[in-house]
Amino acid sequence: MEDFCHFSGRKVKASVILILAGFLVCLGNSYSATASCSLKGEGDIVKSQLGYLPTNFISISARKCNGEEPVAIMTYPLNGGAKRRQSKAQLPGQSFTSPFPTLYWLTCPEICKAIADLERRGFMQQFEATLKAKPEMARRLIQCHEEYAHDRWRSLTAEDQALLSQDDSSIYRIRAMMKESGISGTNFTVHGDCKGKKIGSIKCLHAHYAHFRSTMELDRTSNPVGEMTHSALQKQFPNLVL
Protein backbone atom coordinates (compact mmCIF):
# COMPACT_ATOMS: atom_id res chain seq x y z
CA MET A 1 0.00 0.00 0.00
CA GLU A 2 1.39 3.45 -1.01
CA ASP A 3 2.51 5.78 1.79
CA PHE A 4 1.43 9.40 1.78
CA CYS A 5 3.00 12.59 3.11
CA HIS A 6 1.63 16.07 3.59
CA PHE A 7 3.32 18.71 1.44
CA SER A 8 2.16 22.35 1.52
CA GLY A 9 -1.09 21.26 3.11
CA ARG A 10 -1.76 18.59 0.49
CA LYS A 11 -1.68 14.81 0.64
CA VAL A 12 1.10 13.64 -1.71
CA LYS A 13 2.47 10.17 -2.45
CA ALA A 14 5.80 9.53 -0.71
CA SER A 15 7.29 8.22 -3.96
CA VAL A 16 6.60 11.58 -5.61
CA ILE A 17 8.36 13.40 -2.76
CA LEU A 18 11.41 11.15 -3.20
CA ILE A 19 11.51 11.85 -6.94
CA LEU A 20 11.29 15.60 -6.37
CA ALA A 21 14.03 15.45 -3.74
CA GLY A 22 16.29 13.50 -6.08
CA PHE A 23 15.66 16.02 -8.85
CA LEU A 24 16.59 18.95 -6.62
CA VAL A 25 19.81 17.24 -5.50
CA CYS A 26 20.80 16.58 -9.12
CA LEU A 27 19.97 20.16 -10.04
CA GLY A 28 22.12 21.48 -7.20
CA ASN A 29 25.04 19.24 -8.18
CA SER A 30 24.69 20.33 -11.78
CA TYR A 31 24.75 24.02 -10.82
CA SER A 32 27.80 23.50 -8.60
CA ALA A 33 29.66 21.68 -11.38
CA THR A 34 28.74 24.37 -13.90
CA ALA A 35 29.97 27.14 -11.60
CA SER A 36 33.21 25.25 -10.99
CA CYS A 37 33.77 24.73 -14.72
CA SER A 38 32.98 28.38 -15.37
CA LEU A 39 35.59 29.52 -12.82
CA LYS A 40 38.14 27.11 -14.27
CA GLY A 41 37.40 28.43 -17.74
CA GLU A 42 37.92 32.02 -16.56
CA GLY A 43 41.20 31.02 -14.99
CA ASP A 44 42.40 29.47 -18.26
CA ILE A 45 41.62 32.68 -20.15
CA VAL A 46 43.46 34.84 -17.63
CA LYS A 47 46.41 32.44 -17.71
CA SER A 48 46.59 32.82 -21.48
CA GLN A 49 46.78 36.60 -21.05
CA LEU A 50 49.33 36.79 -18.23
CA GLY A 51 51.25 33.57 -18.86
CA TYR A 52 50.23 32.28 -15.42
CA LEU A 53 47.22 32.37 -13.10
CA PRO A 54 47.72 34.53 -9.99
CA THR A 55 47.34 32.48 -6.82
CA ASN A 56 44.92 35.08 -5.42
CA PHE A 57 42.70 35.27 -8.53
CA ILE A 58 39.01 35.68 -7.63
CA SER A 59 37.13 36.51 -10.83
CA ILE A 60 37.06 38.47 -14.06
CA SER A 61 35.89 41.97 -13.11
CA ALA A 62 35.66 43.60 -16.56
CA ARG A 63 35.43 42.47 -20.17
CA LYS A 64 35.81 44.22 -23.51
CA CYS A 65 32.80 45.93 -25.06
CA ASN A 66 32.12 42.78 -27.11
CA GLY A 67 31.60 40.89 -23.84
CA GLU A 68 34.34 38.38 -24.55
CA GLU A 69 38.01 38.94 -23.69
CA PRO A 70 38.75 40.01 -20.09
CA VAL A 71 40.07 43.50 -19.44
CA ALA A 72 40.69 43.17 -15.70
CA ILE A 73 40.42 40.71 -12.82
CA MET A 74 39.65 40.99 -9.12
CA THR A 75 42.27 39.57 -6.76
CA TYR A 76 42.35 38.72 -3.06
CA PRO A 77 44.30 41.26 -0.94
CA LEU A 78 46.52 38.62 0.67
CA ASN A 79 48.74 35.76 -0.46
CA GLY A 80 49.42 37.29 -3.85
CA GLY A 81 52.51 37.91 -5.94
CA ALA A 82 55.33 35.58 -6.86
CA LYS A 83 56.02 32.52 -4.69
CA ARG A 84 59.44 33.90 -3.79
CA ARG A 85 57.87 37.17 -2.60
CA GLN A 86 55.26 35.29 -0.58
CA SER A 87 57.83 33.19 1.26
CA LYS A 88 59.90 36.29 2.15
CA ALA A 89 56.85 38.11 3.47
CA GLN A 90 55.60 35.25 5.65
CA LEU A 91 55.02 36.45 9.19
CA PRO A 92 55.77 34.05 12.07
CA GLY A 93 52.63 32.50 13.48
CA GLN A 94 50.34 33.94 10.79
CA SER A 95 48.32 32.00 8.21
CA PHE A 96 48.67 34.61 5.46
CA THR A 97 51.77 35.67 3.55
CA SER A 98 52.31 38.80 1.52
CA PRO A 99 49.76 41.62 1.26
CA PHE A 100 48.54 42.29 -2.28
CA PRO A 101 46.81 45.70 -2.28
CA THR A 102 45.96 45.65 -6.02
CA LEU A 103 42.26 44.81 -5.94
CA TYR A 104 41.72 45.18 -9.71
CA TRP A 105 44.44 44.02 -12.09
CA LEU A 106 44.58 44.94 -15.78
CA THR A 107 45.19 41.76 -17.79
CA CYS A 108 44.47 42.46 -21.48
CA PRO A 109 47.90 42.53 -23.23
CA GLU A 110 46.81 44.90 -26.01
CA ILE A 111 45.30 47.45 -23.62
CA CYS A 112 48.27 47.16 -21.24
CA LYS A 113 50.66 47.88 -24.11
CA ALA A 114 48.60 50.86 -25.31
CA ILE A 115 48.45 52.37 -21.80
CA ALA A 116 52.20 51.88 -21.39
CA ASP A 117 52.59 53.90 -24.59
CA LEU A 118 50.38 56.65 -23.16
CA GLU A 119 52.55 56.77 -20.03
CA ARG A 120 55.72 56.92 -22.14
CA ARG A 121 54.30 59.85 -24.10
CA GLY A 122 53.56 61.90 -20.99
CA PHE A 123 49.81 61.46 -20.67
CA MET A 124 50.09 60.79 -16.93
CA GLN A 125 51.58 64.23 -16.37
CA GLN A 126 48.83 65.76 -18.53
CA PHE A 127 46.17 64.04 -16.45
CA GLU A 128 47.78 65.24 -13.20
CA ALA A 129 47.75 68.81 -14.52
CA THR A 130 44.06 68.45 -15.38
CA LEU A 131 43.27 67.19 -11.87
CA LYS A 132 45.07 70.14 -10.29
CA ALA A 133 43.13 72.55 -12.51
CA LYS A 134 39.77 70.93 -11.79
CA PRO A 135 39.10 70.46 -8.04
CA GLU A 136 35.84 68.58 -8.71
CA MET A 137 37.75 65.86 -10.56
CA ALA A 138 40.39 65.77 -7.83
CA ARG A 139 37.71 65.30 -5.17
CA ARG A 140 36.24 62.42 -7.15
CA LEU A 141 39.65 60.80 -7.34
CA ILE A 142 40.06 61.02 -3.55
CA GLN A 143 36.63 59.37 -3.19
CA CYS A 144 37.77 56.61 -5.53
CA HIS A 145 40.83 55.97 -3.35
CA GLU A 146 38.63 55.78 -0.24
CA GLU A 147 36.13 53.42 -1.89
CA TYR A 148 38.96 51.25 -3.21
CA ALA A 149 40.37 50.78 0.30
CA HIS A 150 36.89 50.13 1.68
CA ASP A 151 36.14 47.51 -1.00
CA ARG A 152 39.52 45.87 -0.44
CA TRP A 153 38.90 45.51 3.28
CA ARG A 154 35.37 44.18 2.72
CA SER A 155 36.69 41.57 0.29
CA LEU A 156 38.71 39.97 3.09
CA THR A 157 37.23 37.00 4.90
CA ALA A 158 36.00 37.56 8.45
CA GLU A 159 38.91 35.44 9.66
CA ASP A 160 41.52 37.57 7.88
CA GLN A 161 39.87 40.78 9.03
CA ALA A 162 40.09 39.53 12.61
CA LEU A 163 43.76 38.58 12.18
CA LEU A 164 44.63 41.98 10.74
CA SER A 165 42.70 43.75 13.49
CA GLN A 166 44.85 42.27 16.28
CA ASP A 167 46.89 44.63 18.43
CA ASP A 168 50.14 43.31 17.02
CA SER A 169 52.93 45.58 15.82
CA SER A 170 54.06 42.98 13.28
CA ILE A 171 50.84 43.32 11.29
CA TYR A 172 50.17 47.03 11.80
CA ARG A 173 51.83 47.94 8.49
CA ILE A 174 49.74 45.41 6.59
CA ARG A 175 46.53 46.61 8.26
CA ALA A 176 47.39 50.22 7.40
CA MET A 177 48.08 49.22 3.81
CA MET A 178 44.72 47.48 3.56
CA LYS A 179 42.74 50.35 5.08
CA GLU A 180 44.63 53.52 4.17
CA SER A 181 46.02 52.94 0.68
CA GLY A 182 43.94 53.45 -2.42
CA ILE A 183 44.63 52.83 -6.10
CA SER A 184 48.31 52.13 -6.84
CA GLY A 185 49.00 52.21 -3.11
CA THR A 186 48.21 55.93 -2.80
CA ASN A 187 47.84 56.94 0.85
CA PHE A 188 44.73 59.10 0.54
CA THR A 189 44.91 60.08 4.23
CA VAL A 190 48.07 62.04 3.35
CA HIS A 191 47.35 63.23 -0.19
CA GLY A 192 43.68 64.08 0.08
CA ASP A 193 42.12 67.19 1.56
CA CYS A 194 38.62 68.61 1.67
CA LYS A 195 39.31 70.81 -1.37
CA GLY A 196 40.71 67.97 -3.44
CA LYS A 197 43.95 69.83 -4.19
CA LYS A 198 46.64 67.57 -2.73
CA ILE A 199 46.16 64.56 -4.97
CA GLY A 200 49.72 63.27 -5.15
CA SER A 201 51.09 61.28 -8.07
CA ILE A 202 48.76 59.13 -10.17
CA LYS A 203 51.56 56.51 -10.18
CA CYS A 204 50.05 54.00 -12.64
CA LEU A 205 47.46 54.44 -15.40
CA HIS A 206 47.05 50.65 -15.63
CA ALA A 207 45.74 50.44 -12.06
CA HIS A 208 43.39 53.38 -12.51
CA TYR A 209 42.01 52.01 -15.76
CA ALA A 210 41.48 48.57 -14.22
CA HIS A 211 39.52 50.22 -11.38
CA PHE A 212 37.52 52.37 -13.80
CA ARG A 213 36.49 49.42 -15.98
CA SER A 214 35.80 47.09 -13.04
CA THR A 215 33.48 49.51 -11.26
CA MET A 216 31.62 51.00 -14.22
CA GLU A 217 28.46 49.05 -13.45
CA LEU A 218 28.75 49.27 -9.68
CA ASP A 219 27.47 51.98 -7.36
CA ARG A 220 30.87 53.64 -7.15
CA THR A 221 32.40 57.03 -7.95
CA SER A 222 33.63 57.09 -11.54
CA ASN A 223 37.43 57.25 -11.63
CA PRO A 224 38.39 60.50 -13.43
CA VAL A 225 41.85 59.17 -14.31
CA GLY A 226 40.23 56.07 -15.77
CA GLU A 227 37.84 58.28 -17.76
CA MET A 228 40.70 60.32 -19.22
CA THR A 229 42.67 57.16 -19.99
CA HIS A 230 39.67 55.62 -21.76
CA SER A 231 39.19 58.76 -23.85
CA ALA A 232 42.89 58.85 -24.75
CA LEU A 233 42.82 55.19 -25.78
CA GLN A 234 39.83 55.80 -28.04
CA LYS A 235 41.55 58.74 -29.73
CA GLN A 236 45.11 57.41 -29.91
CA PHE A 237 44.24 53.80 -30.74
CA PRO A 238 40.96 53.90 -32.75
CA ASN A 239 41.30 50.26 -33.85
CA LEU A 240 41.85 48.91 -30.35
CA VAL A 241 38.83 46.99 -29.04
CA LEU A 242 38.07 48.26 -25.55
Side-chain angles (χ1 to χ4, degrees):
M1 186 174 179
E2 181 71 81
D3 292 328
F4 288 86
C5 297
H6 284 84
F7 181 74
S8 296
R10 295 185 180 182
K11 195 175 182 182
V12 182
K13 288 184 178 181
S15 58
V16 174
I17 295 295
L18 290 174
I19 292 172
L20 286 172
F23 173 74
L24 291 174
V25 169
C26 290
L27 183 63
N29 290 339
S30 175
Y31 176 80
S32 177
T34 300
S36 177
C37 289
S38 176
L39 186 60
K40 183 179 184 298
E42 287 188 350
D44 290 339
I45 297 172
V46 173
K47 185 177 180 179
S48 70
Q49 290 183 316
L50 298 176
Y52 67 101
L53 182 65
T55 56
N56 57 337
F57 167 73
I58 294 178
S59 65
I60 293 173
S61 56
R63 294 180 184 272
K64 288 188 173 183
C65 58
N66 56 19
E68 297 177 1
E69 186 179 356
V71 170
I73 62 174
M74 183 178 183
T75 58
Y76 194 69
L78 296 172
N79 305 326
K83 293 290 186 182
R84 182 179 178 184
R85 178 173 176 267
Q86 290 184 30
S87 60
K88 282 186 175 182
Q90 178 73 55
L91 294 174
Q94 301 296 346
S95 60
F96 53 82
T97 54
S98 57
F100 195 85
T102 303
L103 187 62
Y104 300 113
W105 183 347
L106 198 67
T107 60
C108 175
E110 294 82 12
I111 295 179
C112 285
K113 183 178 179 181
I115 291 180
D117 188 61
L118 292 180
E119 290 182 337
R120 180 182 60 80
R121 291 159 58 188
F123 276 81
M124 188 184 303
Q125 290 72 24
Q126 293 179 33
F127 296 163
E128 288 177 346
T130 299
L131 290 168
K132 290 178 181 178
K134 298 183 178 181
E136 183 276 330
M137 292 182 71
R139 282 193 292 270
R140 279 202 288 134
L141 181 58
I142 297 301
Q143 289 176 346
C144 287
H145 285 310
E146 293 174 347
E147 291 171 4
Y148 195 94
H150 178 71
D151 289 342
R152 182 199 293 123
W153 182 259
R154 287 188 61 189
S155 74
L156 290 166
T157 64
E159 179 184 7
D160 284 338
Q161 286 184 3
L163 285 172
L164 290 174
S165 298
Q166 294 177 11
D167 186 16
D168 186 336
S169 59
S170 66
I171 61 175
Y172 171 79
R173 182 182 61 84
I174 298 178
R175 181 171 65 248
M177 184 186 298
M178 294 292 111
K179 287 190 167 186
E180 299 174 6
S181 67
I183 305 157
S184 292
T186 299
N187 188 336
F188 56 84
T189 64
V190 173
H191 293 294
D193 66 12
C194 61
K195 296 181 180 180
K197 292 181 179 179
K198 299 178 182 179
I199 57 168
S201 172
I202 289 174
K203 293 188 178 182
C204 177
L205 294 183
H206 297 78
H208 283 275
Y209 192 65
H211 171 253
F212 168 70
R213 291 298 297 269
S214 298
T215 58
M216 285 179 67
E217 297 182 5
L218 302 178
D219 184 21
R220 298 291 185 277
T221 303
S222 182
N223 187 322
V225 177
E227 292 173 351
M228 291 187 286
T229 302
H230 190 70
S231 179
L233 288 172
Q234 290 176 317
K235 293 177 181 178
Q236 302 296 321
F237 304 93
N239 297 322
L240 180 62
V241 179
L242 299 174

